[in-house]
């Protein structure tokens, strides 16, 4: 349905236009509205938003041109479909009407029904096409703006990517250079470590014979010489203890280097823990009997573990030896050895009721080479825990220690799970 507004103060003219338009317009139906003044025409236009307006130039309160100007204050000229009707047929007036936004003009007494219908239909179609073009151009401008924004964003992304690529390339070159430097340093360290190990190993072996010679000479001196002063006998005892300590230190040092120099990685195998601990207890039986120690075991949760047999034996032997060596003289030693599985990882625990130590004070030094915390507790070089730590971590495991001064120590060894890295 098309809405048409007739603006004319002459009622007969309005009736004529109305009769012409309602007979045939080319549209299914037409809704006619009428106005006889400029002020009312503007008001109805704002309310109805008609598809076309037949606007008489001569109105009682104003002119058709003023009505055009009044409507344009509220609506863009490109949305208005207005046909100016004049009585005099002035070309100047027609041009002014078209310039103010009218789509066409007619001269009274010079058009019939057919011309009026064609003019109205053409004006409506022209206005609809103009509005369609405006919407299309607006949409096209929106699309173009989106494309421009997308292009700008793409350009910025490309710039950022180029910058990131340049940074990555620089970082890659730097990393490559750092890796080369690290490789060089690692090679130097490997050579230095190998040279140091070879030196220590050779030195420890070369020193063994002089130590044996000194011990032989000392034994001969003690066997043949006569000492009347008691302090001289005590001095001999101190010399003997020093020679024994020096011999033990050299032997342990050679053992540390020997462990590090084992050719290739020894293959792991399933080790029966109870059988291995029983063998170690048999080895330490003289010390166990002398200390009146008790060794309790519980391997029900984990009877066997996949590990390098020699390494596991060294680990357990040193831990059990330490438990005996650093026992509390005021109570009988109790050593408990257990195995368990924690989240798929095999764990060995060695717990004693010995002297213990203050972890807050000595924890950072616990696994250092030649570090002892109870020098009064018999012989020792501080090599055992160093070896235990190196062997456990070398197999991809870790160690937790719980200890309290005067209340014993628990070593909890998290061994590498089968197939772990």
């Amino acid at each position: 349905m098309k809405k048409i507004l007739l603006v004319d103060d002459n009622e007969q003219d309005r009736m004529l236009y109305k009769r012409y338009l309602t007979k045939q317009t080319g549209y299914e139906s037409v809704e006619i509205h009428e106005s006889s003044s400029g002020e009312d025409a503007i008001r109805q236009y704002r309310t109805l938003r008609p598809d076309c307006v037949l606007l008489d130039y001569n109105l009682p309160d104003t002119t058709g041109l003023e009505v055009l100007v009044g409507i344009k204050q509220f609506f863009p000229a490109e949305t208005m479909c207005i046909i100016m009707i004049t009585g005099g047929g002035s070309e100047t007036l027609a041009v002014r009407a078209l310039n103010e936004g009218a789509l066409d003009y007619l001269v009274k007494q010079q058009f019939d029904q057919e011309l009026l219908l064609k003019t109205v239909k053409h004006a409506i179609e022209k206005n609809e096409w103009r509005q369609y073009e405006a919407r299309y151009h607006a949409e096209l401008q929106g699309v173009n703006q989106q494309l421009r924004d997308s292009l700008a964003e793409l350009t910025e992304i490309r710039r950022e990517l180029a910058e990131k690529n340049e940074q990555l390339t620089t970082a890659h070159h730097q990393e490559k250079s750092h890796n080369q430097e690290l490789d060089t340093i690692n090679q130097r360290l490997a050579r230095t470590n190998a040279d140091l190990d070879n030196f220590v190993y050779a030195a420890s072996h070369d020193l063994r014979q002089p130590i044996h010679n000194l011990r032989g000479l000392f034994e001969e001196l003690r066997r043949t010489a006569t000492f009347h002063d008691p302090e001289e006998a005590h001095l001999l005892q101190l010399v003997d203890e020093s020679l024994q300590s020096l011999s033990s230190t050299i032997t342990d040092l050679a053992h540390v280097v020997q462990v590090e120099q084992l050719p290739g990685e020894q293959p792991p195998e399933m080790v029966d823990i109870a059988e291995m601990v029983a063998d170690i207890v048999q080895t330490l039986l003289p010390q166990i009997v002398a200390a009146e120690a008790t060794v309790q075991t519980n391997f029900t949760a984990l009877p066997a573990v996949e590990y390098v047999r020699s390494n596991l034996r060294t680990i357990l032997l040193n831990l059990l030896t330490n438990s005996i060596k650093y026992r509390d003289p005021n109570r009988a030693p109790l050593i408990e050895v257990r195995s368990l599985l924690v989240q798929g990882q095999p764990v060995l625990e060695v717990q004693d009721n010995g002297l213990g130590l203050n972890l807050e004070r000595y924890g950072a030094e616990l696994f250092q080479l030649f570090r002892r915390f109870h020098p009064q507790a018999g012989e020792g070089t501080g090599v055992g825990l160093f070896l235990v730590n190196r062997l456990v971590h070398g197999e991809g495991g870790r160690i937790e220690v719980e200890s309290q001064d005067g209340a014993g120590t628990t070593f909890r060894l998290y061994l590498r799970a089968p197939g772990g890295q």
Side-chain angles (χ1 to χ4, degrees):
M1 176 181 290
K2 300 298 181 182
K3 291 184 290 185
I4 298 177
L5 176 61
L6 305 177
V7 184
D8 198 318
D9 61 333
N10 189 316
E11 185 177 358
Q12 286 77 20
D13 288 343
R14 293 201 307 271
M15 290 179 63
L16 177 64
Y17 304 154
K18 187 175 181 180
R19 187 170 66 251
Y20 283 172
L21 294 171
T22 53
K23 285 185 177 180
Q24 184 181 2
T25 58
Y27 303 104
E28 293 182 0
S29 59
V30 176
E31 181 181 300
I32 303 294
H33 297 270
E34 300 180 41
S35 178
S36 59
S37 68
E39 183 180 353
D40 181 65
I42 295 174
R43 181 186 61 77
Q44 288 204 56
Y45 191 96
R46 293 179 63 186
T47 304
L48 298 173
R49 295 299 303 274
D51 295 289
C52 188
V53 179
L54 294 179
L55 176 60
D56 187 18
Y57 177 75
N58 294 306
L59 296 172
D61 58 341
T62 184
T63 66
L65 290 176
E66 294 297 328
V67 174
L68 270 173
V69 173
I71 293 175
K72 285 198 302 183
Q73 291 179 356
F74 303 101
F75 303 98
E78 60 269 16
T79 66
M80 300 187 308
C81 176
I82 298 178
I83 300 172
M84 183 72 71
I85 299 178
T86 65
S90 169
E91 290 293 336
T92 302
L93 178 58
V95 171
R96 288 179 60 191
L98 294 175
N99 288 337
E100 290 296 340
L103 285 180
D104 210 339
Y105 74 95
L106 293 170
V107 180
K108 285 187 177 183
Q109 313 303 329
Q110 294 185 13
F111 64 86
D112 54 13
Q113 178 183 0
E114 183 179 359
L115 180 58
L116 178 62
L117 292 175
K118 287 183 178 179
T119 302
V120 170
K121 184 177 181 181
H122 178 264
I124 291 175
E125 291 177 350
K126 182 177 180 180
N127 185 50
E128 289 178 344
W129 177 255
R130 185 171 59 180
Q131 293 186 50
Y132 168 77
E133 280 188 324
R135 289 194 303 269
Y136 174 78
H137 283 300
E139 293 176 359
L140 188 60
Q141 288 177 355
V143 171
N144 287 336
Q145 184 61 44
Q146 291 177 358
L147 289 175
R148 285 192 292 269
D149 293 342
S150 298
L151 181 60
E153 185 178 353
L154 182 60
T155 303
E156 178 64 18
I157 291 174
R158 286 178 175 173
R159 186 194 64 79
E160 292 178 359
L161 284 176
E163 184 178 337
K164 295 295 183 183
N165 286 333
E166 184 177 353
Q167 293 175 357
L168 287 174
T169 301
T170 302
H172 174 71
H173 290 324
Q174 291 176 348
E175 182 181 6
K176 186 176 180 180
S177 176
H178 291 162
N179 288 338
Q180 291 175 348
E181 293 178 3
L182 287 176
D183 288 341
T184 302
I185 293 173
N186 287 335
Q187 291 175 4
R188 291 176 181 172
L189 286 175
R191 288 195 298 268
T192 301
N193 287 335
D195 293 343
L196 182 60
D197 288 345
N198 290 332
F199 170 77
V200 173
Y201 190 66
S204 62
H205 276 69
D206 291 344
L207 287 173
R208 283 182 179 179
Q209 188 59 44
I211 293 298
H212 290 325
N213 292 340
L214 281 174
R215 286 200 62 81
L217 291 173
F218 176 75
E219 291 297 334
E220 181 65 20
L221 176 64
R222 187 163 57 178
R223 186 180 64 82
T224 58
T226 302
F227 299 96
H228 302 287
D229 189 345
E231 291 187 1
E232 293 176 346
H234 178 65
L235 182 62
L236 286 178
Q237 181 181 355
L238 293 177
V239 172
D240 186 28
E241 291 175 356
S242 298
L243 285 174
Q244 289 180 0
S245 176
L246 180 58
S247 179
S248 298
T249 299
I250 292 175
T251 300
D252 289 342
L253 188 59
H255 182 52
V256 170
V257 178
Q258 186 176 16
V259 169
E260 295 294 326
Q261 289 185 332
L262 288 176
E265 183 180 353
Q266 300 179 69
E269 58 183 288
M270 291 305 300
V271 180
D272 187 301
I273 305 176
E275 179 182 318
M276 173 166 285
V277 171
D279 176 66
I280 294 173
V281 169
Q282 187 63 34
T283 301
L284 297 176
L285 191 58
Q287 294 96 310
I288 293 174
V289 172
E292 298 181 354
T294 300
V295 180
Q296 296 180 351
T297 61
N298 184 355
F299 307 122
T300 304
L302 184 66
V305 63
E306 185 178 358
Y307 215 74
V308 177
R309 179 179 292 273
S310 60
N311 289 351
L312 188 60
R313 189 180 193 281
T314 300
I315 292 169
L316 291 173
L317 177 63
N318 277 282
L319 291 178
L320 289 172
T321 301
N322 273 8
S323 294
I324 298 171
K325 184 183 303 180
Y326 298 110
R327 62 188 180 274
D328 192 314
N330 298 318
R331 54 177 174 263
L334 174 61
I335 306 169
E336 300 177 64
V337 186
R338 295 179 291 269
S339 64
L340 57 152
L341 205 59
V342 177
Q343 297 180 350
Q345 186 172 13
V347 178
L348 292 179
E349 288 186 349
V350 178
Q351 181 177 358
D352 62 52
N353 62 344
L355 294 173
L357 73 156
N358 186 339
L359 288 178
E360 291 185 2
R361 181 177 180 183
Y362 299 114
E365 308 173 41
L366 186 60
F367 298 109
Q368 291 183 8
L369 190 62
F370 300 127
R371 189 70 175 89
R372 298 185 66 204
F373 307 100
H374 300 290
Q376 76 281 7
E379 299 178 357
T381 59
V383 172
L385 289 182
F386 172 82
L387 273 177
V388 169
N389 187 59
R390 290 290 290 270
L391 290 174
V392 171
H393 281 83
E395 292 289 334
R398 61 187 176 90
I399 303 177
E400 291 182 357
V401 183
E402 295 178 5
S403 187
Q404 191 172 0
D405 200 7
T409 302
T410 299
F411 286 91
R412 190 170 295 112
L413 283 58
Y414 290 82
L415 308 179
R416 183 181 64 176
Q421 297 298 323

